[in-house]
Amino acid sequence: MEHALPGAFVGLDVGGTYLKAALLDAQGALVEKRRYPIRKDSAASILAQFAEAVRDLAGAEPVRTVRAIGIGLPGIVDRAARVRVAPNVPVLNGLAVGEEVRARTGVAAFAENDANVAALAEAYRGAGRGADNVLVVTLGTGVGGGVVLKRRLWTGTGGYAGEIGHIQVDQAGVRCGCGSWGCLETLVGVPSWERRGRAALEAGRSSTLATLAKLEPKTVVAEAEKGDALALELVEESARALAVGIAAALQLLNVERVVVAGGVSNAGPILLDRVREHVQKRCFPQVFADASICVAELGSDAGVIGAGTLALLEAGPGA
Ligand SMILES: [Zn+2]
């Protein structure tokens, strides 16, 4: 099959469960997307799968139709697009994924951390559209981030910039997976809702949360909206922690748009309204006035769209 799309881009979003792939046209608009169960038993098999996904979308000879490939990877990716560590897909450790995909497809390929490419997607195609300087904060099990300055991803000296989830927001906080303590992630990440809620219940607080099997942002927010005092405290604590992190980033970067993405961001306005209030208290009035804080638009498509956008930015627009 020959896909009639000269100058197209392919985005690959590598996750612990699925490989997602998308075809973007020469201007970077989404044309088609697909999803495959990830084959992560060996480096050879996952790299072969990447090349197959490109051919599946772009035809047997991708070099004739695809201008560049972008890849979002679930781990720490260095400046040379080599994976330092990918906890959920360890076969990627040490691989220079961009080079490997180029060798298998004949097409220029670029790789980045998945939170960074998702940030690019929101900046170019989502809630950051029209803004030159955008901070994206992704709230999930972990808390990730990406910084887009003057329309380009800011990855820092070694490629590790944007880790807002590991800004310390509580000097007396609990240990974080990164080795530090009191990181934003320890007060906003999904597991923290269970940890903080259970601790309060075990300490004897009475709350409707005691009737829930699992304490997640969504369920806790629902109880907070019904007026449960403990649930409200948990929401307030997360909102304040998130605001401390965002305010620090705003004072440093003076961006015009903060996009909050990930599952927790859909918890409802109760969280973001509080975040805005607390950010305002912690920023210069001018810095706060320059920035709007909004919810992401692209959902789970941000990864593939961002990977394709990375390819477009690295290789330049297609024909
Ligand atoms: Zn940390």
Side-chain angles (χ1 to χ4, degrees), residues 165-167 176-181 183-186:
H166 299 281
I167 287 182
C176 177
C178 75
S180 182
W181 65 97
C183 292
L184 176 54
E185 187 169 296
T186 67

Side-chain angles (χ1 to χ4, degrees), residues 14-56:
V14 184
T17 311
Y18 292 106
L19 169 65
K20 295 180 189 168
L23 188 69
L24 276 59
D25 70 15
Q27 282 70 48
L30 180 65
V31 176
E32 194 180 346
K33 56 177 181 170
R34 289 182 191 173
R35 193 177 81 163
Y36 318 85
I38 193 101
R39 296 203 313 250
K40 54 180 179 178
D41 46 307
S42 71
S45 105
I46 203 168
L47 290 169
Q49 186 180 27
F50 294 168
E52 280 167 33
V54 172
R55 290 194 167 83
D56 193 24

Side-chain angles (χ1 to χ4, degrees), residues 58-76:
E61 290 185 77
V63 71
R64 295 178 57 185
T65 50
V66 178
R67 182 163 167 76
I69 298 163
I71 308 151
L73 296 164
I76 296 177

Side-chain angles (χ1 to χ4, degrees), residues 78-89:
D78 71 16
R79 203 86 186 139
R82 187 177 292 276
V83 178
R84 290 292 179 92
V85 57
N88 294 323
V89 190

